[in-house]
Amino acid sequence: MSSEFSIPTPDDWHLHLRDGELLNTTVAATAAVFERAVIMPNLVPPVVTVEQALAYRERILAVLPKSMSFTPLMMLFLSPQTTVDEVKAVADNPHMLGFKMYPSGATTNSDSGVSRVEAMYPLFEAMQEHDVPLLVHGEVTDGEIDIFDREAVFIERHLRPISEAFPRLRLVLEHITTAQAADFVEQAHARVAATITPQHLLMNRNDLLVGGIRPHNYCLPILKRREHQLRLQQAALSGNPKFFLGTDSAPHARDKKEAPCGCAGCYSAPAALPLYAEFFASHDALDKLADFASHFGADFYGIARNSSHITLQKNAWQVPASITTAVGPITPYWANEALSWQVQGGKQG
């Protein structure tokens, strides 16, 4: 195995930057490595109009270091108030990518999300007509459904019917966690894809619960059994272009994670690409990293691949224990743990 290799600059197809003073930390952490990122709209209040998304985009670009190039791809939060006209507005704006559907109460800042999926069908029809992608947090939120089964139930109850009813809709099941999700994506039509996070490739629920509760490994959808982890690993290693990188990096101040009701989310951005490299290298598959990180997502969305490159070097380092931010210290994902690969020198043209 070579001690150094380059890949085309990757893109992060699922990212939380938050807002306000925290942008000073989160934007640079991603822009140092990724050329583009899909920016999640679950702010408080959520981003529900193109006007709001463009204002958010300007706030992101305002804190981008002058030495870095970075393109935020903006999303709208799908809500019961979303209109067909707003779908058309997204289609007409080059800075917009699509809509994110959160079931109401499924994750952080999603209470105003969708409670009746079938009521959204006229909007899905408009998205299909205007080729506006729909990105989905795929979990039901019924109290009687076990939290470890919520993704599988959502697929059968909602996602499979959506994919069958709208075969031309560009549909992404975000941060997949189960064998059922990987199977569904593989078997669905060509316009269905999925993102996979580093935590779901590198961990399973033992890493959350064995030896005490580990709040900084807590995310939603929650880590699943090892058998599901192995199925996701198989999907990422398969070379199937339906599976690509999406970190779901989600920063929360330490006191919000280490709390009686701790926030869900892993802040992986400071080590995202080395984390994926660690996974692929551990399976003797570094030759597959470029497709997964740099090619398949752009191809799925019909966006040109990046022409710049980034270099990783085999050089052991330790992820910091803490990151100082305007909202207080944040414990990054993989804190205090070693990684074998390190980004060298930033993006190269």
Side-chain angles (χ1 to χ4, degrees):
M1 182 186 298
S2 172
S3 62
E4 184 175 292
F5 70 100
S6 295
I7 63 171
T9 304
D11 301 304
D12 188 346
W13 298 101
H14 185 126
L15 177 68
H16 298 269
L17 291 175
R18 309 303 186 204
D19 204 355
E21 291 182 299
L22 193 52
L23 292 176
N24 290 303
T25 298
T26 58
V27 172
T30 289
V33 176
F34 294 94
E35 188 61 35
R36 298 171 290 214
V38 176
I39 310 302
M40 292 297 110
N42 56 329
L43 304 182
V44 181
V47 180
V48 295
T49 68
V50 169
E51 182 181 13
Q52 291 171 348
L54 296 181
Y56 183 27
R57 180 178 182 271
E58 289 305 311
R59 296 195 296 276
I60 293 167
L61 294 177
V63 301
L64 179 67
K66 290 183 169 51
S67 60
M68 295 180 183
S69 61
F70 178 64
T71 301
L73 303 171
M74 307 308 295
M75 300 291 296
L76 292 192
F77 185 104
L78 187 69
S79 80
Q81 287 71 49
T82 302
T83 65
V84 169
D85 285 342
E86 205 66 55
V87 174
K88 294 176 182 176
V90 169
D92 290 341
N93 194 292
H95 301 308
M96 302 299 304
L97 183 70
F99 284 84
K100 177 67 182 285
M101 181 170 75
Y102 295 93
S104 179
T107 190
T108 303
N109 302 337
S110 64
D111 289 348
S112 58
V114 172
S115 54
R116 292 185 56 246
V117 174
E118 294 77 10
M120 301 292 105
Y121 272 40
L123 297 175
F124 300 158
E125 179 62 47
M127 291 178 203
Q128 176 174 257
E129 178 185 352
H130 295 283
D131 195 17
V132 172
L134 175 65
L135 283 58
V136 179
H137 181 117
E139 292 188 287
V140 297
T141 56
D142 312 43
E144 69 273 14
I145 303 296
D146 190 287
I147 191 170
F148 292 100
D149 297 330
R150 288 181 171 187
E151 182 174 88
V153 171
F154 184 93
I155 290 168
E156 294 307 316
R157 185 182 293 179
H158 298 299
L159 206 61
R160 194 178 301 280
I162 292 170
S163 70
E164 293 171 354
F166 305 100
R168 293 181 291 108
L169 175 63
R170 217 180 291 263
L171 180 65
V172 181
L173 180 53
E174 300 276 48
H175 43 48
I176 62 171
T177 66
T178 59
Q180 291 93 329
D183 292 345
F184 165 74
V185 172
E186 284 184 352
Q187 296 161 11
H189 60 73
R191 287 200 160 208
V192 174
T195 55
I196 308 180
T197 74
Q199 62 265 28
H200 291 109
L201 290 173
L202 294 168
M203 289 184 171
N204 57 64
R205 67 189 191 181
N206 281 355
D207 298 288
L208 176 64
L209 299 170
V210 172
I213 295 174
R214 304 181 184 185
H216 300 289
N217 294 341
Y218 172 53
C219 57
L220 289 173
I222 199 166
L223 296 168
K224 304 299 196 299
R225 290 180 180 270
R226 178 166 169 75
E227 64 196 66
H228 294 290
Q229 178 194 11
L230 293 174
R231 181 66 181 91
L232 297 188
Q233 292 178 347
Q234 181 188 56
L237 294 165
S238 69
N240 186 328
K242 288 186 165 195
F243 300 100
F244 43 83
L245 183 155
T247 65
D248 193 21
S249 179
H252 292 283
R254 183 181 300 153
D255 64 348
K256 301 298 184 185
K257 293 285 287 179
E258 299 175 3
C261 186
C263 295
C266 298
Y267 183 47
S268 58
L273 191 57
L275 285 163
Y276 284 109
E278 192 84 8
F279 163 72
F280 280 93
S282 70
H283 290 82
D284 295 322
L286 276 174
D287 58 313
K288 297 180 181 293
L289 178 61
D291 280 339
F292 180 83
S294 311
H295 296 155
F296 290 160
D299 294 348
F300 177 81
Y301 285 109
I303 299 172
R305 295 179 176 184
N306 294 319
S307 58
S308 60
H309 286 72
I310 199 160
T311 298
L312 291 111
Q313 187 176 75
K314 193 168 187 181
N315 183 22
W317 64 291
Q318 186 170 292
V319 178
S322 181
I323 294 172
T324 301
T325 79
V327 300
I330 289 178
T331 300
Y333 179 65
W334 217 254
N336 280 324
E337 298 293 332
L339 287 171
S340 301
W341 294 90
Q342 192 168 28
V343 173
Q344 296 295 311
K347 307 166 195 172
Q348 304 127 30

